[in-house]
Amino acid sequence: MAKTKDANSKILNGPRDTKRFGRALIVDLASPQLGLVVERGSSLPRASVVVTTCAREIIALSKEGIKVETIIVVGSDADPATHPDLREITENLRALRDKWFSRSRLLVFSKTRDMSSYELRSTLAMYNAVHLEFDWGTAKNWTAATGEKGPDFAKFVTDCHHFDHLVLETALYKAPFDNTTDAEIKAMSEKLAEIKPQEVIVMCGGGSAADAKGVKYATKPQRDKIVEKLAEATGISVHPDEFEELLTA
């Protein structure tokens, strides 16, 4: 794999086999850097570092005949949506994908709570799919999970309308908040019907409260029943899946 300037940095992970995305090359836009960062005091790599690193590896993999089914953009220490060079990086990644792995899908995983920026939305629209965390039906649970106010939730739902290739990833919890109650699932169904995502993936792992103290997930039988309820109520493609860490140590 191509080396970045900083020996401890790992912008690229893989390619490796994943359960959900096949053979994947994973790009970490928040891999801490010691030099060539976006600004003083930041550890985020500049676009030039990310693009050069990815270009070397993608070209080498293609020439070696190594299969890459998916290129996935993630953020370990910060969300990809917060990277100031996201548009430049995305444009270059898409060009590299088109030239060297034209059959591969380009995905981005985000936990952003703010989709109000047109610049951000237009950048995310360049991906084949935007995987976005969505664990809430009510403003009460939104606030419990994020610490943000109810009106912010309503605005977030409205801003999600701008995408026709949105994949929502929902984690089901019993604690620190419960999003498996009938009232919560009814409210979530209404939000999903409003957003109209391409797909909803429901899991018993990960999510907005993954690092909370005393976190407790729903059981798989509970998950499967909720998947049926959401699909029936919305007419959207909803299916269960297993949580999978994309970044490896």
Side-chain angles (χ1 to χ4, degrees):
M1 181 178 291
K3 301 288 186 181
T4 60
K5 179 178 179 179
D6 304 307
N8 294 328
S9 173
K10 195 175 183 182
I11 290 173
L12 284 175
N13 281 252
R16 65 182 182 83
D17 292 325
T18 66
K19 294 178 182 178
R20 296 169 58 190
F21 307 105
R23 192 76 168 162
L25 183 65
I26 299 157
V27 184
D28 182 4
L29 295 194
S31 178
Q33 302 287 298
L34 300 177
L36 294 179
V37 294
V38 294
E39 60 186 5
R40 185 186 297 273
S42 173
S43 64
L44 294 177
R46 289 182 191 172
S48 58
V49 175
V50 176
V51 172
T52 300
T53 301
C54 291
R56 284 200 208 103
E57 186 71 1
I58 287 171
I59 293 169
L61 290 170
S62 179
K63 289 184 175 180
E64 291 171 21
I66 296 174
K67 184 178 182 181
V68 174
E69 296 172 87
T70 316
I71 299 171
I72 306 174
V73 173
V74 300
S76 53
D77 286 6
D79 195 275
T82 65
H83 197 296
D85 297 337
L86 179 61
R87 188 173 190 89
E88 181 181 350
I89 292 168
T90 300
E91 289 173 342
N92 280 277
L93 281 178
R94 192 166 70 163
L96 286 165
R97 186 277 311 270
D98 290 349
K99 182 171 183 179
W100 299 101
F101 287 103
S102 59
R103 295 185 179 181
S104 298
R105 301 184 75 224
L106 182 61
L107 311 180
V108 60
F109 276 69
S110 177
K111 297 185 177 190
T112 185
R113 315 280 186 243
D114 185 359
M115 287 284 197
S116 60
S117 165
Y118 173 78
E119 176 77 10
L120 174 60
R121 295 198 306 268
S122 64
T123 298
L124 295 179
M126 298 179 187
Y127 290 84
N128 292 113
V130 178
H131 285 248
L132 189 64
E133 193 174 78
F134 194 88
D135 299 336
W136 327 276
T138 62
K140 178 182 177 181
N141 275 353
W142 158 272
T143 300
T146 68
E148 298 179 25
K149 297 178 180 179
D152 295 329
F153 182 39
K155 189 173 189 315
F156 177 69
V157 170
T158 298
D159 288 336
C160 285
H161 292 177
H162 296 282
F163 299 95
D164 58 6
H165 61 313
L166 190 64
V167 177
L168 296 182
E169 301 217 343
T170 299
L172 295 178
Y173 299 99
K174 301 300 288 185
F177 60 89
D178 190 345
N179 62 354
T180 67
T181 65
D182 288 343
E184 186 70 19
I185 295 306
K186 182 177 183 295
M188 188 179 291
S189 296
E190 292 169 353
K191 299 297 187 300
L192 295 178
E194 187 177 348
I195 295 171
K196 296 181 175 63
Q198 175 181 304
E199 184 180 9
V200 180
I201 299 170
V202 184
M203 296 176 284
C204 299
S208 56
D211 298 326
K213 185 177 180 180
V215 63
K216 182 180 179 181
Y217 290 100
T219 64
K220 290 182 180 179
Q222 288 172 324
R223 175 199 64 186
D224 294 345
K225 288 181 180 179
I226 288 171
V227 164
E228 291 179 5
K229 289 180 180 179
L230 291 174
E232 183 177 353
T234 64
I236 294 167
S237 174
V238 184
H239 64 85
D241 212 329
E242 303 300 322
F243 176 72
E244 180 179 14
E245 289 285 359
L246 293 176
L247 291 174
T248 57

